[in-house]
Amino acid sequence: MVWSGGAPCLLSFRIPVGGLTIGRELLASLAPSLHDDRISRRHAHVTAHEPNFLIADLASRNGTYVAGQALVDREIQVSPPCVVRTGRTVSVLVPDVGMFEGREVDRSGGVVRGPSSRHAGERAHAAADAGQNLVIIAEPGSGKRIVADRYVRQRRARELVIFGAELGASAQVPQGAVTILLEDPQLLTPAGQATLAGWLDARPDLAVVTMCWGELDRLHGFDPQLARRLSQVEVRLAPLRERPEELAYLVAVALDGQPDPIGAHASLVEACLLRPWPGNERELISAVQRAARRAVEGGKTLLRGEDLGADAGYPPQVPGSPTVNPLQATVLAADDGRRRRTTTKPETDA
């Protein structure tokens, strides 16, 4: 569960043999601090049929939405991961909740880090302690710099940011312990690569954090020996579309501190979860803030899914990015032949 009422959360539920009923009873028993005034006492029922899930609406007042579509008077079988909205609560069905159990999302300093990316931060921390060079592999906007900054803070060395295209034979590096943050390594010329290798030979107090899309040894024209020296530790950051618990918190962060306060409706979180966001965190925050400004200008106090720009999170512009968010589940079967209703019915008190 990643959102309830008007705020992000992180609650994990294992599906028992007889299934799990999502509703006010479940929230009251396990998370009494959460308040969703649109969820029914017994709203929807989820049963695990590995590797899939069977979802049934329990005649709820405000409906159950599966992958953004209304589920009316029937059961439906879906493949995970899948987004489910019940009232103003949003959950994600996943094959295994183990990585989320007993964990929290840290949003200190405006930075959001949950279980999905915590391992990357821990590995960067350990690499800094050991004085090892680090390569951070991730899509643009995924938070590579956040992981790099953690490395720098842990190493307590002077920071020097270098872009690949700027590093030439005449470049100089300051004296003393220095952590070089190397961006755009694919733009390093042979002269730049030779300069960097020379620094590593002459300066044992240097450490290099390289931020890139993929493995250095696969970059065209990149010296294999230098690639091995820089890749003592590799960290891969999952794209935002694979970090649902962080996405929900990022929606809240995007709306924090806006000149005109506006709240987030659960349908906004649902809509964000169903889009691929090739620009990841950076793109999401920008899109939500633009939508918030438009909504405020229209006199709204609550930002909904339909307020999000139609092109926000689409189309993928990054080579290799999926055209469909994996959280937008494939419907495999239904227990009857009736069609899903795609219109949103007005919310009423549960």
PDB file of all heavy atoms in Angstrom, residues 163-169 184-196 220-223 226:
ATOM      1  N   PHE A 163      32.767  16.956 -16.456  1.00  0.00           N
ATOM      2  CA  PHE A 163      31.998  16.386 -17.559  1.00  0.00           C
ATOM      3  C   PHE A 163      32.983  15.816 -18.583  1.00  0.00           C
ATOM      4  O   PHE A 163      34.033  16.407 -18.845  1.00  0.00           O
ATOM      5  CB  PHE A 163      31.098  17.430 -18.207  1.00  0.00           C
ATOM      6  CG  PHE A 163      29.989  17.894 -17.316  1.00  0.00           C
ATOM      7  CD1 PHE A 163      30.171  18.978 -16.470  1.00  0.00           C
ATOM      8  CD2 PHE A 163      28.779  17.223 -17.287  1.00  0.00           C
ATOM      9  CE1 PHE A 163      29.160  19.395 -15.640  1.00  0.00           C
ATOM     10  CE2 PHE A 163      27.753  17.632 -16.448  1.00  0.00           C
ATOM     11  CZ  PHE A 163      27.947  18.727 -15.620  1.00  0.00           C
ATOM     12  N   GLY A 164      32.625  14.675 -19.152  1.00  0.00           N
ATOM     13  CA  GLY A 164      33.537  13.979 -20.045  1.00  0.00           C
ATOM     14  C   GLY A 164      34.099  14.848 -21.148  1.00  0.00           C
ATOM     15  O   GLY A 164      35.290  14.767 -21.473  1.00  0.00           O
ATOM     16  N   ALA A 165      33.267  15.710 -21.715  1.00  0.00           N
ATOM     17  CA  ALA A 165      33.704  16.531 -22.834  1.00  0.00           C
ATOM     18  C   ALA A 165      34.708  17.598 -22.406  1.00  0.00           C
ATOM     19  O   ALA A 165      35.408  18.179 -23.238  1.00  0.00           O
ATOM     20  CB  ALA A 165      32.498  17.189 -23.501  1.00  0.00           C
ATOM     21  N   GLU A 166      34.784  17.900 -21.113  1.00  0.00           N
ATOM     22  CA  GLU A 166      35.643  18.975 -20.624  1.00  0.00           C
ATOM     23  C   GLU A 166      37.043  18.490 -20.246  1.00  0.00           C
ATOM     24  O   GLU A 166      37.942  19.305 -20.035  1.00  0.00           O
ATOM     25  CB  GLU A 166      35.008  19.629 -19.387  1.00  0.00           C
ATOM     26  CG  GLU A 166      33.644  20.240 -19.642  1.00  0.00           C
ATOM     27  CD  GLU A 166      32.988  20.718 -18.362  1.00  0.00           C
ATOM     28  OE1 GLU A 166      33.502  20.392 -17.272  1.00  0.00           O
ATOM     29  OE2 GLU A 166      31.957  21.415 -18.464  1.00  0.00           O
ATOM     30  N   LEU A 167      37.230  17.191 -20.127  1.00  0.00           N
ATOM     31  CA  LEU A 167      38.490  16.665 -19.621  1.00  0.00           C
ATOM     32  C   LEU A 167      39.482  16.482 -20.773  1.00  0.00           C
ATOM     33  O   LEU A 167      39.296  15.640 -21.648  1.00  0.00           O
ATOM     34  CB  LEU A 167      38.262  15.328 -18.915  1.00  0.00           C
ATOM     35  CG  LEU A 167      39.482  14.710 -18.216  1.00  0.00           C
ATOM     36  CD1 LEU A 167      40.069  15.676 -17.207  1.00  0.00           C
ATOM     37  CD2 LEU A 167      39.093  13.406 -17.536  1.00  0.00           C
ATOM     38  N   GLY A 168      40.519  17.303 -20.751  1.00  0.00           N
ATOM     39  CA  GLY A 168      41.541  17.222 -21.789  1.00  0.00           C
ATOM     40  C   GLY A 168      42.914  17.002 -21.192  1.00  0.00           C
ATOM     41  O   GLY A 168      43.083  16.848 -19.982  1.00  0.00           O
ATOM     42  N   ALA A 169      43.920  17.057 -22.057  1.00  0.00           N
ATOM     43  CA  ALA A 169      45.288  16.776 -21.616  1.00  0.00           C
ATOM     44  C   ALA A 169      45.806  17.818 -20.642  1.00  0.00           C
ATOM     45  O   ALA A 169      46.683  17.536 -19.819  1.00  0.00           O
ATOM     46  CB  ALA A 169      46.200  16.691 -22.841  1.00  0.00           C
ATOM     47  N   ASP A 184      28.914  11.980 -17.986  1.00  0.00           N
ATOM     48  CA  ASP A 184      29.038  11.815 -19.442  1.00  0.00           C
ATOM     49  C   ASP A 184      30.369  11.187 -19.841  1.00  0.00           C
ATOM     50  O   ASP A 184      31.114  11.724 -20.675  1.00  0.00           O
ATOM     51  CB  ASP A 184      28.890  13.164 -20.159  1.00  0.00           C
ATOM     52  CG  ASP A 184      27.555  13.822 -19.896  1.00  0.00           C
ATOM     53  OD1 ASP A 184      26.570  13.081 -19.728  1.00  0.00           O
ATOM     54  OD2 ASP A 184      27.494  15.062 -19.846  1.00  0.00           O
ATOM     55  N   PRO A 185      30.723  10.034 -19.260  1.00  0.00           N
ATOM     56  CA  PRO A 185      32.010   9.410 -19.612  1.00  0.00           C
ATOM     57  C   PRO A 185      32.093   9.009 -21.077  1.00  0.00           C
ATOM     58  O   PRO A 185      33.195   8.853 -21.614  1.00  0.00           O
ATOM     59  CB  PRO A 185      32.068   8.184 -18.702  1.00  0.00           C
ATOM     60  CG  PRO A 185      30.640   7.859 -18.399  1.00  0.00           C
ATOM     61  CD  PRO A 185      29.956   9.191 -18.318  1.00  0.00           C
ATOM     62  N   GLN A 186      30.940   8.862 -21.739  1.00  0.00           N
ATOM     63  CA  GLN A 186      30.953   8.485 -23.155  1.00  0.00           C
ATOM     64  C   GLN A 186      31.545   9.589 -24.026  1.00  0.00           C
ATOM     65  O   GLN A 186      31.907   9.342 -25.180  1.00  0.00           O
ATOM     66  CB  GLN A 186      29.520   8.150 -23.626  1.00  0.00           C
ATOM     67  CG  GLN A 186      28.571   9.324 -23.740  1.00  0.00           C
ATOM     68  CD  GLN A 186      27.937   9.711 -22.419  1.00  0.00           C
ATOM     69  OE1 GLN A 186      28.282   9.178 -21.378  1.00  0.00           O
ATOM     70  NE2 GLN A 186      26.997  10.643 -22.472  1.00  0.00           N
ATOM     71  N   LEU A 187      31.671  10.805 -23.464  1.00  0.00           N
ATOM     72  CA  LEU A 187      32.226  11.930 -24.215  1.00  0.00           C
ATOM     73  C   LEU A 187      33.723  12.105 -23.976  1.00  0.00           C
ATOM     74  O   LEU A 187      34.330  13.026 -24.534  1.00  0.00           O
ATOM     75  CB  LEU A 187      31.488  13.224 -23.850  1.00  0.00           C
ATOM     76  CG  LEU A 187      29.980  13.250 -24.117  1.00  0.00           C
ATOM     77  CD1 LEU A 187      29.381  14.577 -23.713  1.00  0.00           C
ATOM     78  CD2 LEU A 187      29.688  12.955 -25.585  1.00  0.00           C
ATOM     79  N   LEU A 188      34.319  11.249 -23.156  1.00  0.00           N
ATOM     80  CA  LEU A 188      35.760  11.333 -22.904  1.00  0.00           C
ATOM     81  C   LEU A 188      36.541  11.027 -24.184  1.00  0.00           C
ATOM     82  O   LEU A 188      36.371   9.975 -24.789  1.00  0.00           O
ATOM     83  CB  LEU A 188      36.172  10.349 -21.817  1.00  0.00           C
ATOM     84  CG  LEU A 188      36.150  10.811 -20.359  1.00  0.00           C
ATOM     85  CD1 LEU A 188      36.522   9.654 -19.447  1.00  0.00           C
ATOM     86  CD2 LEU A 188      37.092  11.978 -20.142  1.00  0.00           C
ATOM     87  N   THR A 189      37.392  11.948 -24.576  1.00  0.00           N
ATOM     88  CA  THR A 189      38.260  11.713 -25.727  1.00  0.00           C
ATOM     89  C   THR A 189      39.423  10.820 -25.300  1.00  0.00           C
ATOM     90  O   THR A 189      39.670  10.639 -24.099  1.00  0.00           O
ATOM     91  CB  THR A 189      38.811  13.050 -26.250  1.00  0.00           C
ATOM     92  OG1 THR A 189      39.624  13.643 -25.222  1.00  0.00           O
ATOM     93  CG2 THR A 189      37.668  14.003 -26.615  1.00  0.00           C
ATOM     94  N   PRO A 190      40.153  10.249 -26.252  1.00  0.00           N
ATOM     95  CA  PRO A 190      41.353   9.477 -25.878  1.00  0.00           C
ATOM     96  C   PRO A 190      42.314  10.279 -25.004  1.00  0.00           C
ATOM     97  O   PRO A 190      42.907   9.744 -24.065  1.00  0.00           O
ATOM     98  CB  PRO A 190      41.967   9.110 -27.229  1.00  0.00           C
ATOM     99  CG  PRO A 190      40.786   9.043 -28.159  1.00  0.00           C
ATOM    100  CD  PRO A 190      39.876  10.137 -27.707  1.00  0.00           C
ATOM    101  N   ALA A 191      42.451  11.585 -25.302  1.00  0.00           N
ATOM    102  CA  ALA A 191      43.329  12.436 -24.482  1.00  0.00           C
ATOM    103  C   ALA A 191      42.780  12.569 -23.071  1.00  0.00           C
ATOM    104  O   ALA A 191      43.529  12.533 -22.089  1.00  0.00           O
ATOM    105  CB  ALA A 191      43.482  13.812 -25.131  1.00  0.00           C
ATOM    106  N   GLY A 192      41.468  12.717 -22.959  1.00  0.00           N
ATOM    107  CA  GLY A 192      40.840  12.820 -21.641  1.00  0.00           C
ATOM    108  C   GLY A 192      40.984  11.535 -20.854  1.00  0.00           C
ATOM    109  O   GLY A 192      41.224  11.555 -19.632  1.00  0.00           O
ATOM    110  N   GLN A 193      40.847  10.408 -21.523  1.00  0.00           N
ATOM    111  CA  GLN A 193      41.015   9.117 -20.846  1.00  0.00           C
ATOM    112  C   GLN A 193      42.452   8.955 -20.356  1.00  0.00           C
ATOM    113  O   GLN A 193      42.687   8.458 -19.238  1.00  0.00           O
ATOM    114  CB  GLN A 193      40.644   7.976 -21.797  1.00  0.00           C
ATOM    115  CG  GLN A 193      39.167   7.943 -22.158  1.00  0.00           C
ATOM    116  CD  GLN A 193      38.839   6.817 -23.119  1.00  0.00           C
ATOM    117  OE1 GLN A 193      39.300   5.689 -22.932  1.00  0.00           O
ATOM    118  NE2 GLN A 193      38.052   7.105 -24.145  1.00  0.00           N
ATOM    119  N   ALA A 194      43.412   9.381 -21.159  1.00  0.00           N
ATOM    120  CA  ALA A 194      44.809   9.288 -20.753  1.00  0.00           C
ATOM    121  C   ALA A 194      45.099  10.194 -19.563  1.00  0.00           C
ATOM    122  O   ALA A 194      45.848   9.822 -18.642  1.00  0.00           O
ATOM    123  CB  ALA A 194      45.718   9.656 -21.933  1.00  0.00           C
ATOM    124  N   THR A 195      44.489  11.386 -19.557  1.00  0.00           N
ATOM    125  CA  THR A 195      44.662  12.302 -18.416  1.00  0.00           C
ATOM    126  C   THR A 195      44.122  11.686 -17.137  1.00  0.00           C
ATOM    127  O   THR A 195      44.769  11.718 -16.081  1.00  0.00           O
ATOM    128  CB  THR A 195      43.939  13.628 -18.696  1.00  0.00           C
ATOM    129  OG1 THR A 195      44.534  14.262 -19.835  1.00  0.00           O
ATOM    130  CG2 THR A 195      44.037  14.565 -17.500  1.00  0.00           C
ATOM    131  N   LEU A 196      42.937  11.114 -17.207  1.00  0.00           N
ATOM    132  CA  LEU A 196      42.323  10.501 -16.028  1.00  0.00           C
ATOM    133  C   LEU A 196      43.150   9.318 -15.530  1.00  0.00           C
ATOM    134  O   LEU A 196      43.373   9.163 -14.320  1.00  0.00           O
ATOM    135  CB  LEU A 196      40.896  10.065 -16.355  1.00  0.00           C
ATOM    136  CG  LEU A 196      40.071   9.472 -15.203  1.00  0.00           C
ATOM    137  CD1 LEU A 196      39.987  10.440 -14.026  1.00  0.00           C
ATOM    138  CD2 LEU A 196      38.657   9.122 -15.685  1.00  0.00           C
ATOM    139  N   HIS A 220      31.726   2.664 -26.716  1.00  0.00           N
ATOM    140  CA  HIS A 220      32.580   2.650 -27.907  1.00  0.00           C
ATOM    141  C   HIS A 220      33.783   3.564 -27.693  1.00  0.00           C
ATOM    142  O   HIS A 220      33.654   4.726 -27.306  1.00  0.00           O
ATOM    143  CB  HIS A 220      31.779   3.121 -29.123  1.00  0.00           C
ATOM    144  CG  HIS A 220      32.592   3.169 -30.378  1.00  0.00           C
ATOM    145  ND1 HIS A 220      33.049   2.041 -31.029  1.00  0.00           N
ATOM    146  CD2 HIS A 220      33.058   4.231 -31.104  1.00  0.00           C
ATOM    147  CE1 HIS A 220      33.735   2.390 -32.099  1.00  0.00           C
ATOM    148  NE2 HIS A 220      33.756   3.710 -32.160  1.00  0.00           N
ATOM    149  N   GLY A 221      34.968   3.023 -27.919  1.00  0.00           N
ATOM    150  CA  GLY A 221      36.175   3.813 -27.830  1.00  0.00           C
ATOM    151  C   GLY A 221      36.703   4.028 -26.422  1.00  0.00           C
ATOM    152  O   GLY A 221      37.678   4.772 -26.236  1.00  0.00           O
ATOM    153  N   PHE A 222      36.082   3.379 -25.430  1.00  0.00           N
ATOM    154  CA  PHE A 222      36.540   3.562 -24.051  1.00  0.00           C
ATOM    155  C   PHE A 222      37.603   2.512 -23.744  1.00  0.00           C
ATOM    156  O   PHE A 222      37.428   1.322 -24.011  1.00  0.00           O
ATOM    157  CB  PHE A 222      35.381   3.426 -23.071  1.00  0.00           C
ATOM    158  CG  PHE A 222      35.595   4.152 -21.772  1.00  0.00           C
ATOM    159  CD1 PHE A 222      35.121   5.442 -21.599  1.00  0.00           C
ATOM    160  CD2 PHE A 222      36.280   3.550 -20.723  1.00  0.00           C
ATOM    161  CE1 PHE A 222      35.314   6.123 -20.412  1.00  0.00           C
ATOM    162  CE2 PHE A 222      36.488   4.213 -19.530  1.00  0.00           C
ATOM    163  CZ  PHE A 222      36.004   5.513 -19.368  1.00  0.00           C
ATOM    164  N   ASP A 223      38.719   2.977 -23.165  1.00  0.00           N
ATOM    165  CA  ASP A 223      39.842   2.096 -22.864  1.00  0.00           C
ATOM    166  C   ASP A 223      39.423   1.005 -21.872  1.00  0.00           C
ATOM    167  O   ASP A 223      38.998   1.321 -20.753  1.00  0.00           O
ATOM    168  CB  ASP A 223      40.987   2.927 -22.275  1.00  0.00           C
ATOM    169  CG  ASP A 223      42.184   2.080 -21.883  1.00  0.00           C
ATOM    170  OD1 ASP A 223      42.408   1.025 -22.503  1.00  0.00           O
ATOM    171  OD2 ASP A 223      42.893   2.458 -20.940  1.00  0.00           O
ATOM    172  N   LEU A 226      41.085   1.247 -18.365  1.00  0.00           N
ATOM    173  CA  LEU A 226      40.552   2.349 -17.552  1.00  0.00           C
ATOM    174  C   LEU A 226      39.152   2.013 -17.050  1.00  0.00           C
ATOM    175  O   LEU A 226      38.815   2.305 -15.897  1.00  0.00           O
ATOM    176  CB  LEU A 226      40.523   3.639 -18.381  1.00  0.00           C
ATOM    177  CG  LEU A 226      39.956   4.867 -17.665  1.00  0.00           C
ATOM    178  CD1 LEU A 226      40.750   5.199 -16.401  1.00  0.00           C
ATOM    179  CD2 LEU A 226      39.921   6.070 -18.619  1.00  0.00           C
TER     180      LEU A 226
END
